[in-house]
Amino acid sequence: MSTILKTLCLAGTLLLTSFTTLAQPIARDEFSISPLLNGQQIPKINLQDIKGKTVDLAELTQQKPTIFFFYRGGWCPFCNNQMGQLKAIEPELLKMGFQLVGISPDTPAQLKASAAKNELKYLLLSDEKMLAAQAFGLAFYTSEKVTEIYTSRLHVDNTMWTTPEGAKRLVLPVPAIYISDDKGLIHLQYVNPNYKVRPAPKLILTAASLVGSQE
């Protein structure tokens, strides 16, 4: 196994403690999530694209190998940077037979704005209700301080959720990359609670080539 693949697998299995594909409870913080593991299936979750059309994730992966990336929203500069990096390597991914799909809590209208701003051609899906984020085990409550900063300074207007203790908080997904084959089987993932750290484009291309070679 290559050093790059070992690094990807190590990062992807960090904090992985659950083997179920059912929706996970929203974690108390970004360090307590229980993401899906390699060898599990992409869950059957319905989301909306920028036109409001329903898209079934499980059915989507039956078309071709897929790279899903979960991001916090178009308001996040680190996410916008990642979207640009993925845009740059999209032609190579397409040549390998992959499709690229972004998932965030943004509304279809917000996704449309992000796609236009960044001149994106790949598919963006709205996870307003955090159905996918919970199914993948990535959803977590932000802290009181972070919720205040994001809503007041960054003007994030996502739906507020109520914690088990009764506090109002934003719920976000931990940024993640999932690579599945054309049967919806997860081969590789990268999940990092530090939202400032995203996998390098070269790492994603290497992982995709390894998955593609197993087809």
Side-chain angles (χ1 to χ4, degrees):
M1 181 181 291
S2 70
T3 300
I4 292 178
L5 180 55
K6 288 180 180 179
T7 301
L8 184 66
C9 291
L10 178 61
T13 54
L14 177 66
L15 303 175
L16 302 180
T17 58
S18 173
F19 288 82
T20 177
T21 57
L22 298 176
Q24 297 294 310
I26 299 172
R28 66 178 180 273
D29 57 44
E30 62 269 44
F31 301 103
S32 305
I33 58 171
S34 299
L36 289 184
L37 297 166
N38 295 342
Q40 292 186 285
Q41 290 290 135
I42 296 297
K44 186 176 179 61
I45 299 293
N46 290 327
L47 302 180
Q48 290 185 313
D49 64 14
I50 62 176
K51 297 180 179 179
K53 179 182 177 181
T54 298
V55 177
D56 184 314
L57 295 190
E59 291 182 2
L60 188 64
T61 57
Q62 299 301 312
Q63 300 176 17
K64 59 177 64 177
T66 306
I67 296 178
F68 290 102
F69 69 98
F70 282 81
Y71 66 102
R72 307 191 308 159
W75 53 269
C76 170
F78 297 95
C79 299
N80 280 294
N81 183 56
Q82 181 185 35
M83 286 192 283
Q85 291 179 338
L86 291 171
K87 172 186 173 182
I89 65 173
E90 183 184 17
E92 294 179 73
L93 294 172
L94 292 176
K95 288 180 181 178
M96 294 182 197
F98 282 87
Q99 60 183 339
L100 190 56
V101 181
I103 301 175
S104 79
D106 283 351
T107 64
Q110 290 170 327
L111 293 180
K112 187 174 183 179
S114 290
K117 175 184 176 181
N118 297 294
E119 300 181 338
L120 305 177
K121 295 182 179 179
Y122 52 75
L123 182 62
L124 295 180
L125 297 176
S126 171
D127 189 24
E128 281 187 87
K129 297 180 180 180
M130 304 302 289
L131 297 176
Q134 289 187 73
F136 279 77
L138 301 171
F140 71 96
Y141 292 106
T142 58
S143 66
E144 180 180 3
K145 179 180 180 181
V146 169
T147 296
E148 171 61 24
I149 291 174
Y150 286 2
T151 55
S152 63
R153 299 184 190 177
L154 298 179
H155 307 294
V156 177
D157 59 357
N158 295 6
T159 300
M160 299 292 284
W161 295 66
T162 303
T163 69
E165 295 74 30
K168 294 293 184 180
R169 296 283 190 272
L170 286 173
V171 173
L172 295 175
V174 167
I177 294 281
Y178 277 88
I179 303 179
S180 71
D181 61 22
D182 59 4
K183 297 178 180 61
L185 182 69
I186 298 170
H187 285 252
L188 292 169
Q189 83 280 87
Y190 180 102
V191 182
N192 195 331
N194 185 348
Y195 67 87
K196 296 181 180 180
V197 180
R198 308 296 170 96
K202 182 179 179 180
L203 186 61
I204 296 173
L205 287 172
T206 300
S209 67
L210 291 170
V211 173
S213 67
Q214 298 172 23
E215 290 291 299

